[in-house]
Amino acid sequence: MYRKHKNVKDIKYILKHLRPEDLHEVKMQRGKNYLKEIPKEIMESNHHFVLGIEKKTNIPAVMGGCVDAGDGVGIVWLLSTPKVLKHQICLLKNLKKDIQEFDEKYWLTFNMLYKENEIAKHWLKKYGYRFPK
């Protein structure tokens, strides 16, 4: 995978092809207008944003970032298509630098996710996030 600058076309592609767990999260957190609202917010925002594209096909596979919630708190987020599952190692290697930046900038980072989103939990645990029962 490689990184690409944010653009509406790739953002909408990912939103239209989300993994079921991510789709559930988006609909629960953002409601039915997420396809219109999320691209607009991302394009107008200066928050940290990453877009991952599959090298062989040039198809968007993952996007994420960190929203500054104020008072030294950052909200990390990640949305992906099923294609990202073939690139998990690459994803984790690439996100390491981003997570280190978040750790330096914020005293607290957190993520809200669907309790059955086991893949996202697995990825976040690699960076020290905890999911107490």
Side-chain angles (χ1 to χ4, degrees):
M1 285 196 324
Y2 68 93
R3 291 180 182 227
K4 187 175 176 183
H5 292 291
K6 64 183 176 181
N7 65 81
V8 172
K9 180 182 172 190
D10 290 336
I11 292 167
K12 284 187 175 182
Y13 179 89
I14 291 171
L15 291 172
K16 289 178 182 176
H17 297 89
L18 289 172
R19 291 182 314 106
E21 300 89 344
D22 286 342
L23 179 60
H24 180 80
E25 287 178 17
V26 167
K27 285 183 174 179
M28 294 308 295
Q29 291 179 20
R30 304 305 301 268
K32 62 183 178 183
N33 292 325
Y34 72 93
L35 277 172
K36 183 178 179 183
E37 294 173 0
I38 292 175
K40 185 177 187 296
E41 284 180 22
I42 290 171
M43 294 307 293
E44 292 176 356
S45 168
N46 289 327
H47 295 297
H48 186 95
F49 179 81
V50 175
L51 181 63
I53 308 295
E54 190 177 47
K55 282 183 183 178
K56 290 181 182 177
T57 63
N58 284 320
I59 294 175
V62 61
M63 65 180 176
C66 188
V67 176
D68 189 321
D71 296 325
V73 176
I75 306 167
V76 296
W77 64 275
L78 187 80
L79 297 172
S80 61
T81 72
K83 285 227 179 244
V84 79
L85 299 176
K86 294 191 297 188
H87 307 286
Q88 292 182 64
I89 293 171
C90 181
L91 171 72
L92 293 172
K93 285 180 182 178
N94 276 287
L95 289 179
K96 187 175 184 175
K97 184 182 119 190
D98 297 289
I99 298 293
Q100 287 172 338
E101 285 180 29
F102 304 155
D103 285 346
E104 291 172 11
K105 184 173 183 177
Y106 302 104
W107 71 272
L108 173 69
T109 59
F110 69 93
N111 178 278
M112 295 178 285
L113 52 93
Y114 179 46
K115 72 177 185 174
E116 294 176 10
N117 196 341
E118 295 300 326
I119 292 171
K121 287 181 186 178
H122 175 74
W123 294 337
L124 288 166
K125 284 178 183 176
K126 300 259 185 218
Y127 296 109
Y129 286 82
R130 296 178 299 125
F131 301 93
K133 299 279 182 215

